[in-house]
């Protein structure tokens, strides 16, 4: 390759690059736009938020003598969770998405319902509910 063809190639590339420049800013993007970053809370912030929530609970009770220890990583004394409780299948222990309308047993899928829950003898369902603590006693 000779020195002359290298210069021709560079001239060509400069000319093409000059033609590709758009003089008008795009109306779809703002100049200097950056995607906002997600903000995660540190452990200290989570503990501080829980402490505030506990103090608000105590203020609502109006009992000034009752003291709740400060929430840290080393103690387990904390109010109940605000998240909903998880529901598991009474037969398999997997996630129980469905509930039987007849006996209120939770089950994982239709196969478990057809093979176990539907043909279940009376009284057996109460034993499963007793394990969960959801049984009822007739007086």
């Amino acid at each position: 390759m000779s020195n002359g063809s290298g210069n021709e190639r560079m001239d060509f590339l400069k000319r093409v690059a000059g033609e590709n420049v758009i003089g008008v800013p795009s109306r779809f993007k703002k100049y200097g736009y950056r995607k906002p970053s997600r903000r995660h809370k540190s452990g200290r912030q989570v503990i501080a938020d829980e402490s505030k929530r506990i103090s608000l609970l105590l203020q609502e009770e109006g009992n000034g003598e009752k003291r709740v220890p400060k929430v840290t990583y080393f103690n387990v004394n904390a109010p109940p969770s605000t998240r909903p409780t998880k529901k598991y299948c009474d037969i398999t222990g997997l996630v129980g998405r469905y509930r039987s309308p007849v006996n209120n047993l939770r089950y994982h899928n239709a196969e478990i319902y057809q093979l176990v829950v539907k043909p279940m003898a009376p009284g057996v369902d109460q034993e499963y509910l007793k394990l969960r603590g959801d049984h009822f006693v007739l007086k």
Side-chain angles (χ1 to χ4, degrees), residues 3-135:
N3 197 9
S5 69
N7 287 338
E8 291 173 11
R9 182 169 172 80
M10 286 303 292
D11 292 337
F12 172 75
L13 290 175
K14 286 179 184 176
R15 184 171 47 90
V16 169
E19 292 173 1
N20 286 336
V21 174
I22 299 173
V24 179
S26 174
R27 60 186 175 155
F28 300 109
K29 280 188 176 179
K30 293 181 182 176
Y31 179 73
Y33 173 76
R34 288 188 335 168
K35 199 174 192 180
S37 61
R38 291 184 96 179
R39 183 171 183 264
H40 298 283
K41 290 186 176 184
S42 66
R44 261 189 187 169
Q45 289 173 326
V46 171
I47 290 173
D49 290 345
E50 282 296 309
S51 296
K52 286 178 189 175
R53 187 170 71 89
I54 290 170
S55 66
L56 289 175
L57 287 174
L58 288 178
Q59 288 174 0
E60 288 174 3
E61 288 178 5
N63 188 358
E65 296 176 5
K66 186 177 179 182
R67 287 188 60 119
V68 175
K70 185 177 179 183
V71 177
T72 63
Y73 288 114
F74 302 109
N75 66 6
V76 294
N77 298 331
S81 175
T82 56
R83 293 182 147 218
T85 57
K86 294 187 177 185
K87 298 174 181 168
Y88 295 102
C89 174
D90 292 322
I91 311 299
T92 63
L94 299 171
V95 177
R97 296 186 182 98
Y98 311 103
R99 177 176 263 179
S100 170
V102 177
N103 51 19
N104 284 335
L105 283 177
R106 292 187 189 125
Y107 55 95
H108 179 66
N109 58 14
E111 183 180 4
I112 293 171
Y113 181 74
Q114 290 293 328
L115 295 175
V116 180
V117 178
K118 196 172 181 182
M120 191 174 283
V124 177
D125 55 352
Q126 288 301 313
E127 295 298 321
Y128 278 106
L129 291 172
K130 190 186 293 184
L131 289 173
R132 189 173 68 193
D134 218 9
H135 68 291

